[in-house]
Coordinates of all heavy atoms in Angstrom, one line a residue:
F1 N 37.6 -35.7 82.9 CA 38.1 -35.9 84.3 C 38.5 -37.4 84.4 O 38.0 -38.2 83.8 CB 37.2 -35.4 85.4 CG 35.9 -36.1 85.4 CD1 35.7 -37.2 86.1 CD2 34.8 -35.7 84.7 CE1 34.6 -37.9 86.3 CE2 33.5 -36.3 84.8 CZ 33.5 -37.4 85.5
G2 N 39.5 -37.6 85.4 CA 39.9 -38.9 85.6 C 41.3 -39.2 85.3 O 42.0 -38.4 84.7
I3 N 41.7 -40.5 85.5 CA 43.1 -40.8 85.2 C 43.1 -41.4 83.7 O 42.1 -42.2 83.3 CB 43.5 -42.0 86.1 CG1 43.4 -41.5 87.6 CG2 44.9 -42.5 85.8 CD1 44.3 -40.3 87.8
Y4 N 43.9 -41.0 82.9 CA 43.9 -41.5 81.6 C 45.3 -41.6 80.9 O 46.3 -40.9 81.3 CB 43.0 -40.5 80.6 CG 43.5 -39.0 80.8 CD1 44.4 -38.5 79.8 CD2 43.1 -38.2 81.7 CE1 44.8 -37.3 79.9 CE2 43.4 -36.9 81.8 CZ 44.2 -36.4 80.9 OH 44.6 -35.1 81.0
T5 N 45.4 -42.3 79.9 CA 46.7 -42.4 79.2 C 46.5 -42.0 77.8 O 45.3 -42.2 77.2 CB 47.1 -44.0 79.0 OG1 47.4 -44.5 80.4 CG2 48.3 -44.2 78.2
M6 N 47.4 -41.3 77.2 CA 47.1 -40.7 75.8 C 48.3 -41.2 75.0 O 49.4 -41.5 75.4 CB 47.0 -39.3 75.9 CG 46.0 -38.7 76.5 SD 45.7 -36.9 76.5 CE 44.9 -36.8 74.8
D7 N 48.0 -41.5 73.7 CA 48.9 -42.1 72.8 C 48.8 -41.6 71.5 O 47.8 -40.9 71.0 CB 48.6 -43.7 72.8 CG 48.3 -44.2 74.0 OD1 49.3 -44.6 74.7 OD2 47.1 -44.5 74.2
W8 N 49.8 -41.8 70.7 CA 49.8 -41.5 69.2 C 50.0 -42.8 68.4 O 50.9 -43.5 68.7 CB 50.8 -40.5 68.7 CG 50.5 -39.0 69.1 CD1 51.1 -38.4 70.2 CD2 49.6 -38.1 68.5 NE1 50.5 -37.2 70.3 CE2 49.8 -36.9 69.3 CE3 48.9 -38.2 67.2 CZ2 48.9 -35.9 68.8 CZ3 48.1 -37.2 66.9 CH2 48.2 -36.1 67.6
Y9 N 49.1 -43.1 67.5 CA 49.2 -44.2 66.4 C 49.3 -43.6 65.1 O 49.1 -42.4 64.9 CB 47.9 -45.1 66.6 CG 47.9 -46.0 67.9 CD1 47.6 -45.5 69.1 CD2 48.1 -47.3 67.8 CE1 47.4 -46.2 70.2 CE2 47.9 -48.2 68.9 CZ 47.6 -47.5 70.1 OH 47.5 -48.3 71.2
R10 N 49.7 -44.4 64.3 CA 49.8 -44.2 62.8 C 49.5 -45.3 62.0 O 49.7 -46.5 62.4 CB 51.2 -43.6 62.5 CG 52.4 -44.5 62.6 CD 53.5 -43.7 62.2 NE 54.8 -44.6 62.2 CZ 56.0 -44.3 61.9 NH1 56.4 -42.9 61.9 NH2 57.0 -45.1 62.0
Q11 N 48.9 -45.0 60.8 CA 48.5 -46.0 59.9 C 48.9 -45.7 58.4 O 48.4 -44.6 58.0 CB 47.1 -46.3 60.0 CG 46.7 -47.6 59.2 CD 45.3 -48.1 59.6 OE1 44.4 -47.3 60.0 NE2 45.0 -49.4 59.3
A12 N 49.7 -46.3 57.7 CA 50.0 -46.0 56.3 C 49.1 -46.9 55.6 O 48.5 -48.0 56.0 CB 51.5 -46.5 56.1
P13 N 48.7 -46.6 54.3 CA 47.9 -47.4 53.4 C 48.3 -48.8 53.4 O 49.5 -49.0 53.1 CB 48.0 -46.6 52.2 CG 48.3 -45.2 52.5 CD 49.3 -45.4 53.5
G14 N 47.4 -49.7 53.5 CA 47.6 -51.1 53.5 C 48.3 -51.7 54.7 O 48.8 -52.9 54.6
K15 N 48.6 -50.9 55.7 CA 49.3 -51.4 56.8 C 48.5 -51.4 58.1 O 47.5 -50.6 58.1 CB 50.6 -50.7 56.9 CG 51.7 -50.9 55.8 CD 53.0 -50.1 56.1 CE 53.9 -50.4 55.0 NZ 55.3 -49.7 55.4
E16 N 48.8 -52.1 59.0 CA 48.2 -52.1 60.3 C 48.5 -50.8 61.1 O 49.6 -50.3 60.9 CB 48.5 -53.3 61.1 CG 48.1 -54.6 60.5 CD 46.7 -54.8 60.6 OE1 46.0 -54.5 61.5 OE2 46.1 -55.3 59.4
R17 N 47.5 -50.4 61.9 CA 47.8 -49.3 62.7 C 48.9 -49.6 63.7 O 48.8 -50.8 64.4 CB 46.5 -48.8 63.4 CG 46.6 -47.6 64.2 CD 45.3 -46.9 64.6 NE 44.5 -46.7 63.5 CZ 43.3 -46.2 63.7 NH1 42.8 -45.8 64.9 NH2 42.5 -46.0 62.6
E18 N 49.9 -48.7 64.0 CA 50.9 -49.1 65.0 C 51.0 -47.9 66.1 O 50.9 -46.9 65.7 CB 52.3 -49.4 64.3 CG 52.8 -48.1 63.6 CD 54.2 -48.2 63.0 OE1 54.8 -49.1 63.4 OE2 54.5 -47.4 62.1
L19 N 51.4 -48.4 67.2 CA 51.6 -47.4 68.3 C 52.8 -46.8 68.1 O 54.1 -47.4 68.0 CB 51.6 -48.3 69.7 CG 51.9 -47.3 70.8 CD1 50.9 -46.4 71.1 CD2 52.1 -48.2 72.1
V20 N 52.9 -45.5 68.2 CA 54.1 -44.6 67.9 C 54.7 -44.2 69.3 O 55.9 -44.3 69.5 CB 53.8 -43.3 67.0 CG1 55.0 -42.5 66.8 CG2 53.3 -43.8 65.8
A21 N 53.9 -43.7 70.1 CA 54.4 -43.3 71.3 C 53.1 -43.1 72.3 O 52.0 -43.0 72.1 CB 55.0 -41.8 71.2
T22 N 53.5 -43.3 73.6 CA 52.4 -43.3 74.6 C 52.9 -42.5 75.9 O 54.1 -42.5 76.2 CB 52.0 -44.8 75.0 OG1 50.9 -44.7 76.0 CG2 53.2 -45.5 75.6
I23 N 52.0 -42.0 76.7 CA 52.3 -41.2 77.9 C 51.2 -41.4 78.9 O 50.0 -41.3 78.5 CB 52.5 -39.6 77.4 CG1 53.1 -38.9 78.8 CG2 51.4 -39.1 76.9 CD1 53.6 -37.6 78.5
G24 N 51.6 -41.8 80.1 CA 50.8 -42.1 81.1 C 50.4 -40.9 81.9 O 50.9 -39.8 81.8

């Protein structure tokens, strides 16, 4: 319960995790 934001991140081998999409 509560207010929340949800997102999708992705990470390829040897790379930093990056934000793909977000929804408030």
Side-chain angles (χ1 to χ4, degrees):
F1 62 89
I3 305 300
Y4 56 90
T5 298
M6 298 187 77
D7 319 278
W8 286 100
Y9 287 75
R10 68 185 182 187
Q11 186 170 26
K15 297 184 178 180
E16 296 293 320
R17 187 172 299 186
E18 64 174 341
L19 178 64
V20 176
T22 185
I23 185 165

